[in-house]
Amino acid sequence: MKRGKATFLPYFIYRHRKTHAILAAHLESADMKDKYTSPMIQNELLDICADQIRKGIVDRCNAASFYGFIADEATDCSTKEQIALCVRFFDKESGNICEEFLGFQEAESTTGEHLANKFISSLEEYGIVIDRMRGQGYDGAANMAGKHRGVQAKIRERVPQATYTHCRAHSLNLSVVHACKEPLIRNLMDTVQTISFAFDYSAKRLKQFNESLSNDNPTKEQMERKTKLQTLCETRWFSRVDALTTFKKCYNVIIDALEELSEDGDAKARSYVCSIKQFDFLIALVTSEHVLTPLNPLSAVLQGKTQDLLEAAKESKTVISMLRAERVDDDVWEGIFEEAVAMGVRNDVQPSVPRFARRQCHRGNVPGDTPSEYWKRNLYLPFVDHLVNELNDRLVQNENRFSAQYLLPSQIGNITRAKMTDLYDTFGEDLPANDKNEFQRKVDRWRARWTDVQLPGASPPGPPQGLRPGPIGGLKAAPKPPALICFHNKQTLAAPLSV
């Protein structure tokens, strides 16, 4: 702690000036060398306080049946790689889910194996029981989330039950990022971003855009008082649908503005006009905007404060089912294709297909008898399939691990024998009796108890009520469910109840 920047000592003196007379007199009257207030002593006192606080957290965490482990790494101002370590557990004393910070650790290397060893050694140093870990929460970087050499894989070699859970909202974002790597969609995004920046960062071009917009009353009404294009967000990819929708509404206005700028000597404006007056651009714009539109509501749901992984999986499966249903519905594709054709009529953009080549590696080359069939096979179907696979892999995986929420009073009516079997297969090793028939009997008794009971806030769409741990016949309602280990209101790891 540097001199002149210390905050501990002034607070310490202020705090004890009236509450501890002897200490206050010592700090005010003792010789400078005898006050024990040097920066080194202050740091030692802070370390002692931290150790005492951490010991209390560790004791409460170990008293819980299971816990989730959260870690994140970042480079500080001194260019050192710092790792923040946290645990998430059910506090039996307060009856609440607690997320507690344990401390920082410096990482000498960022490989998955080194970080995993660092995490385990740090937890053991703090006194945390490693074998009780039932959840891991990290970012989606390869060294953390890798299936073979990532941190989560290395820790699961030690604790197989420690399921890795990635933030669902971030997983949705990554799903869109990877799905948009389809060549036609990627080229569309680049073109839209370039033109949006061209209007956003040039006063002359923006003025011309506003003049063209003021002369087009239908588009002006659709823009709802917006006077400029939206640029594509570099991090929140699922929000790009708003920018695509704005670009699609202003398509004719953009062309008019660019043609006026081209006549005034703007060299780049002419190239922009040529790039968007192509049918491959129009069909990609309409298709991507249509396919990505359902993801905005899903993103809002995943970031809700009362959201959990069970509901997140249900909402994700709903979107996946909708996309799959639209994929096989010819009327949906015909509507997309006809909208793209209608947008090109005003600017003499006719439906067309690229030149067919037998050897083609850089774009779709599946033959089609008509332009509609060609673009469906080479654009729509690959994009939807890629997105569905990404959503399924990233948002619906490990569903059995967080199905313990079906034991909550507000969800117990939805449990079936099949779900009981899944629960037992998932958490059987953590149950005291480890007897499937006994487990099912206790669940039946628990369901019968709450069948005719109206819980506050239990009716949809209210948040589920929680349970205090204990025998199934004696569980009590609590404000938050101990079966869940929540991460930052966005992600949840299901931990088994004490049965």
Side-chain angles (χ1 to χ4, degrees):
M1 186 177 293
K2 297 181 180 179
R3 292 183 181 274
K5 295 185 179 180
T7 56
F8 172 72
L9 184 58
Y11 173 78
F12 186 77
I13 295 174
Y14 172 79
R15 178 73 175 80
H16 294 87
R17 182 171 294 170
K18 294 183 179 180
T19 59
H20 202 298
I22 298 177
L23 180 60
H26 167 75
L27 292 174
E28 292 179 0
S29 60
D31 186 80
M32 195 64 171
K33 296 181 180 180
D34 298 332
K35 285 186 177 182
Y36 295 96
T37 56
S38 68
M40 183 179 296
I41 297 297
Q42 292 183 48
N43 287 334
E44 289 182 4
L45 290 173
L46 289 173
D47 290 338
I48 293 172
C49 293
D51 290 340
Q52 292 299 312
I53 294 173
R54 186 185 297 115
K55 184 179 183 300
I57 295 173
V58 170
D59 291 342
R60 289 159 53 211
C61 181
N62 288 336
S65 299
F66 309 101
Y67 68 92
F69 173 63
I70 314 170
D72 197 9
E73 53 182 319
T75 303
D76 62 13
C77 60
S78 62
T79 65
K80 292 182 180 180
E81 193 77 18
Q82 298 279 0
I83 308 172
L85 307 179
C86 302
V87 287
R88 188 90 173 181
F89 58 91
F90 174 70
D91 187 5
K92 293 182 178 180
E93 295 182 1
S94 64
N96 295 321
I97 302 270
C98 296
E99 180 183 312
E100 300 290 355
F101 170 71
L102 292 176
F104 287 110
Q105 292 290 337
E106 183 178 350
E108 294 79 12
S109 173
T110 57
T111 62
E113 184 174 3
H114 176 83
L115 290 175
N117 293 334
K118 189 73 173 180
F119 293 165
I120 292 176
S121 62
S122 298
L123 291 176
E124 290 177 338
E125 179 185 344
Y126 294 149
I128 299 288
V129 180
I130 302 298
D131 293 335
R132 292 184 180 178
M133 185 189 300
R134 290 299 180 269
Q136 308 175 65
Y138 318 117
D139 58 28
N143 64 332
M144 305 297 284
K147 294 182 179 179
H148 303 290
R149 294 189 295 178
V151 171
Q152 64 94 12
K154 295 298 181 181
I155 289 185
R156 291 193 72 175
E157 292 178 0
R158 168 74 181 272
V159 189
Q161 301 89 347
T163 302
Y164 166 69
T165 304
H166 188 193
C167 169
R168 284 327 194 214
H170 190 210
S171 297
L172 173 62
N173 188 64
L174 292 178
S175 300
V176 179
V177 169
H178 288 275
C180 289
K181 289 182 178 179
E182 292 291 328
L184 289 168
I185 304 299
R186 183 187 63 231
N187 294 341
L188 162 76
M189 296 290 184
D190 291 342
T191 302
V192 170
Q193 184 75 310
T194 301
I195 294 177
S196 298
F197 277 142
F199 280 106
D200 194 38
Y201 292 112
S202 172
K204 179 181 178 181
R205 290 171 180 163
L206 183 59
K207 180 180 179 182
Q208 183 60 55
F209 175 82
N210 289 327
E211 290 179 0
S212 300
L213 180 62
S214 62
N215 295 329
D216 191 332
N217 290 328
T219 303
K220 187 176 180 180
E221 292 178 0
Q222 293 180 6
M223 286 289 285
E224 299 175 350
R225 296 183 180 180
K226 296 179 182 178
T227 58
K228 59 192 304 185
L229 297 176
Q230 288 183 247
T231 57
L232 301 180
C233 181
E234 295 294 336
T235 54
R236 298 174 66 248
W237 276 62
F238 50 80
S239 67
R240 290 190 168 198
V241 66
D242 296 330
L244 296 178
T245 301
T246 302
F247 197 98
K248 189 180 75 170
K249 290 178 181 179
C250 296
Y251 178 71
N252 292 329
V253 172
I254 294 171
I255 289 181
D256 292 341
L258 290 175
E259 288 179 345
E260 289 291 336
L261 292 169
S262 177
E263 293 178 1
D264 290 341
D266 191 329
K268 291 185 177 181
R270 183 59 185 170
S271 65
Y272 295 154
V273 171
C274 294
S275 63
I276 64 176
K277 290 182 69 173
Q278 302 288 334
F279 190 75
D280 58 349
F281 175 85
L282 284 177
I283 192 65
L285 175 63
V286 178
T287 300
S288 59
E289 191 262 348
H290 174 84
V291 173
L292 296 179
T293 294
L295 301 185
N296 258 358
L298 176 60
S299 173
V301 169
L302 294 180
Q303 296 183 68
K305 292 183 178 181
T306 60
Q307 191 56 261
D308 56 71
L309 280 185
L310 187 63
E311 290 300 320
K314 287 182 179 179
E315 294 294 337
S316 302
K317 290 167 72 173
T318 299
V319 174
I320 291 173
S321 299
M322 186 190 71
L323 291 174
R324 285 174 173 168
E326 290 187 347
R327 183 190 185 279
V328 298
D329 191 341
D330 293 334
D331 292 338
V332 173
W333 168 248
E334 289 300 326
I336 295 174
F337 186 78
E338 290 175 3
E339 183 178 1
V341 172
M343 289 180 62
V345 169
R346 179 179 179 274
N347 298 288
D348 297 326
V349 180
Q350 300 297 324
S352 59
V353 299
R355 179 178 60 85
F356 179 78
R358 293 188 180 276
R359 289 188 177 183
Q360 177 57 258
C361 302
H362 303 292
R363 60 175 170 80
N365 204 34
V366 181
D369 296 333
T370 63
S372 175
E373 185 177 355
Y374 174 86
W375 291 113
K376 181 178 181 180
R377 292 179 177 179
N378 290 277
L379 173 64
Y380 179 64
L381 296 182
F383 184 42
V384 172
D385 290 343
H386 196 166
L387 181 60
V388 167
N389 289 336
E390 290 288 338
L391 293 174
N392 190 65
D393 292 342
R394 296 178 183 275
L395 299 180
V396 189
Q397 62 179 351
N398 296 328
E399 186 177 1
N400 289 340
R401 290 300 300 178
F402 42 84
S403 58
Q405 188 178 352
Y406 282 113
L407 295 178
L408 299 179
S410 59
Q411 298 285 344
I412 192 66
N414 299 322
I415 199 168
T416 62
R417 286 293 176 185
K419 291 176 181 177
M420 288 185 197
T421 301
D422 290 339
L423 276 171
Y424 183 81
D425 292 341
T426 304
F427 301 113
E429 296 181 358
D430 294 323
L431 300 178
N434 198 12
D435 184 290
K436 184 176 181 179
N437 293 329
E438 182 180 354
F439 171 74
Q440 290 182 346
R441 286 194 299 270
K442 288 185 177 181
V443 172
D444 288 337
R445 184 166 70 250
W446 176 242
R447 177 172 54 187
R449 174 175 180 176
W450 291 104
T451 298
D452 299 326
V453 176
Q454 180 64 35
L455 294 174
S459 57
Q465 300 296 311
L467 305 174
R468 296 182 187 271
I472 277 198
L475 292 172
K476 300 179 180 180
K480 295 183 179 180
L484 305 177
I485 303 175
C486 306
F487 287 91
H488 308 297
N489 297 327
K490 296 181 181 178
Q491 50 185 333
T492 307
L493 294 175
L497 293 170
S498 299
V499 179

